[in-house]
Amino acid sequence: MKLLEYEGKALLAKHGIAIPLGALWPNCPASETGWVVKAQVLAGGRGKQGGILLASERKEVEEKAARLKGTRLGAEPVHAVYVEQRLDIAHEYYLAGFVNRDRGCVTLMASASGGVDIEQVPKSEIDTVDIDPLIGLAHFQIQRLRRALKLDPQLDKCVAAVVTGLYRTLVEEDAELVEINPLVLTRAGQLLAADAKIALDDDAVSRHQDRSGPIAWVTDSAFMQRCRALDVIGVDNRGRIPSPARPTVAILGNGAGLTMATYDQVALSGVGVAGAIELHGALARGVAHTADVFRAFFMLDADIYLINAFYQLRSTEALAQALVQALDSPGVPSRERVVVRMRGVEQHSSEGIVKAAGCFYSPSLREATERVLALARSLARTAKTAS
Ligand code: GDP
Ligand code: MN
């Protein structure tokens, strides 16, 4: 999960890294040096796209915040506008750390050429340091990063605070990536994180139950929020599937094993998986609740919806009823695009209900998968003829 800049900065500050004074619009920090008005989007390159605006008067802040609020930056929605005290920048540096799966450790990166053109900086100008997870960050490594930043030895203590803070943010917050670009040296000689890009490890959410306040989880999709509210397990692949992988399938199953096996079967057949839901005992909470889970399922942006359920104790008929209830709601996909495989208790009556609703039904996973692939092929053909 990616965090917005202001959420990331709150985490950096918690670990002792200095950040500029800032507030979420319509709040505005006191400043004698003017302000920076910053669009909060889940992508970088805001500076180049007009998402970072300078203002020298309060009225200007208001105008520029209004201009950014509720709009889009490229394809990205602006979730909020963050207003900061403007910094008097002497130099911009790059400092980042990430969980390096290839090397099995956290790797820190530093460059004296930070700022909006970091992508153009040659690799030779970015130093990397692997941190042994058993030893942790050592003093000589901080020294090495300070030299890579070409910062004066007088700033040793400041650099140590920033590097240690960044490393602790990664480890203690279970982040996958923490990037400060730019790390700013002001003319007054202060080192501050002027930007923050943080991605947290989704699988570690349960270790941070205390997170609230500035970490608003706003970066979660509406689908994932809904899954949490309904107490079911959701997978949202939005943004992870390359766009040519269309058409895509969303999967709903009961039981982690069956759901993941279905997921794998679909993925291996070459169709993109848009996301999945594991019912997680939803049926025990009644038909109405299960219908809500189906509505959440239909929030996934997919071309085809595959349901694969097997119940030996509960009635598949209740599941079929919940599906039909959900299909009567506004904004759900057309019924031809819903493929159902159900087996178990009262299978025959559920077959009747599903077919009467106009969805494809088969008790066989093979037939259901073939149907999914046939639909995918015909959708791909229509897409081709349309373009
Ligand atoms: P990004 O483009 O999304 O990475 O947004 P950043 O927050 O990194 O801002 C982009 C650029 O705007 C920075 O590299 C700075 O050059 C400039 N900038 C950001 N904050 C300030 C500030 O307080 N004062 C000044 N003068 N420039 C700033
Ligand atoms: Mn930046």
Side-chain angles (χ1 to χ4, degrees):
M1 173 180 39
K2 292 184 191 166
L3 299 184
L4 295 170
E5 174 193 4
Y6 82 94
E7 296 174 310
K9 278 179 168 163
L11 286 186
L12 294 181
K14 180 177 157 193
H15 294 283
I17 296 179
I19 56 170
L21 195 61
L24 275 185
W25 183 256
N27 294 312
C28 182
S31 175
E32 286 171 359
T33 53
W35 293 268
V36 209
V37 183
K38 310 183 86 174
Q40 300 297 291
V41 297
L42 292 173
R46 295 168 301 165
K48 290 190 170 168
Q49 296 182 74
I52 308 286
L53 306 170
L54 299 176
S56 42
E57 282 168 46
R58 257 309 288 261
K59 251 196 89 200
E60 219 184 321
V61 174
E62 200 155 319
E63 280 164 25
K64 293 189 168 160
R67 202 191 301 164
L68 294 175
K69 186 120 204 187
T71 54
R72 279 175 182 271
L73 209 60
E76 291 293 320
V78 176
H79 293 280
V81 175
Y82 189 53
V83 184
E84 280 185 335
Q85 224 171 43
R86 183 168 168 183
L87 301 173
D88 189 12
I89 299 179
H91 193 82
E92 301 191 7
Y93 303 89
Y94 177 85
L95 184 68
F98 67 102
V99 176
N100 191 335
R101 291 184 200 281
D102 296 337
R103 318 256 318 153
C105 65
V106 162
T107 297
L108 301 182
M109 299 191 285
S111 173
S113 327
V116 294
D117 290 320
I118 189 69
E119 275 84 16
Q120 271 79 57
V121 174
K123 273 222 166 76
S124 57
E125 283 181 33
I126 302 176
D127 198 15
T128 63
V129 176
D130 289 345
I131 312 299
D132 187 314
L134 297 179
I135 298 172
L137 192 59
H139 184 66
F140 73 91
Q141 295 172 316
I142 298 174
Q143 290 285 328
R144 174 160 163 185
L145 291 166
R146 202 251 313 136
R147 281 194 299 274
L149 294 169
K150 301 192 181 122
L151 277 165
D152 196 283
Q154 280 188 338
L155 285 166
D156 256 356
K157 273 207 177 120
C158 298
V159 175
V162 176
V163 174
T164 312
L166 183 137
Y167 183 68
R168 278 182 33 204
T169 307
L170 259 165
V171 175
E172 288 172 28
E173 304 296 338
D174 285 305
E176 294 174 332
L177 168 76
V178 177
E179 187 186 75
I180 303 175
N181 184 36
L183 173 70
V184 156
L185 179 66
T186 64
R187 287 189 201 283
Q190 222 195 338
L191 265 185
L192 296 121
D195 190 11
K197 182 171 165 187
I198 294 186
L200 298 175
D201 181 351
D202 291 333
D203 295 325
V205 166
S206 62
R207 307 210 314 181
H208 302 276
Q209 300 284 357
D210 54 319
R211 260 180 205 152
S212 60
I215 311 295
W217 307 110
V218 292
T219 60
D220 258 11
S221 67
F223 167 76
M224 290 299 283
Q225 287 176 34
R226 195 71 192 121
C227 285
R228 247 202 300 283
L230 293 167
D231 197 25
V232 292
I233 311 288
V235 177
D236 189 350
N237 287 345
R238 190 185 45 135
R240 280 187 220 166
I241 308 176
S243 44
R246 299 218 135 233
T248 57
V249 181
I251 292 157
L252 179 142
N254 69 308
L258 182 64
T259 309
M260 288 318 292
T262 313
Y263 187 117
D264 289 344
Q265 164 138 346
V266 169
L268 288 171
S269 66
V271 189
V273 179
I277 283 189
E278 195 273 289
L279 280 166
H280 206 58
L283 203 50
R285 294 168 68 175
V287 172
H289 179 81
T290 311
D292 280 339
V293 176
F294 275 110
R295 287 187 194 97
F297 177 52
F298 293 136
M299 288 167 77
L300 280 168
D301 181 18
D303 301 297
I304 302 154
Y305 295 81
L306 172 63
I307 293 150
N308 187 17
F310 177 65
Y311 281 98
Q312 277 179 305
L313 290 172
R314 300 199 173 273
S315 158
T316 55
E317 190 184 324
L319 190 67
Q321 284 163 353
L323 168 65
V324 173
Q325 267 187 29
L327 283 170
D328 279 334
S329 324
V332 297
S334 73
R335 292 160 188 228
E336 308 86 76
R337 296 200 279 133
V338 179
V339 175
V340 180
R341 187 253 185 158
M342 273 183 202
R343 282 193 82 134
V345 178
E346 292 174 313
Q347 183 180 317
H348 292 293
S349 52
S350 51
E351 170 171 2
I353 295 171
V354 170
K355 283 185 173 166
C359 306
F360 178 89
Y361 172 92
S362 170
S364 140
L365 179 58
R366 184 149 147 221
E367 271 180 36
T369 314
E370 277 167 5
R371 173 70 174 190
V372 166
L373 295 179
L375 277 171
R377 276 193 297 272
S378 77
L379 283 167
R381 254 200 313 280
T382 10
K384 248 184 218 145
T385 24
S387 61

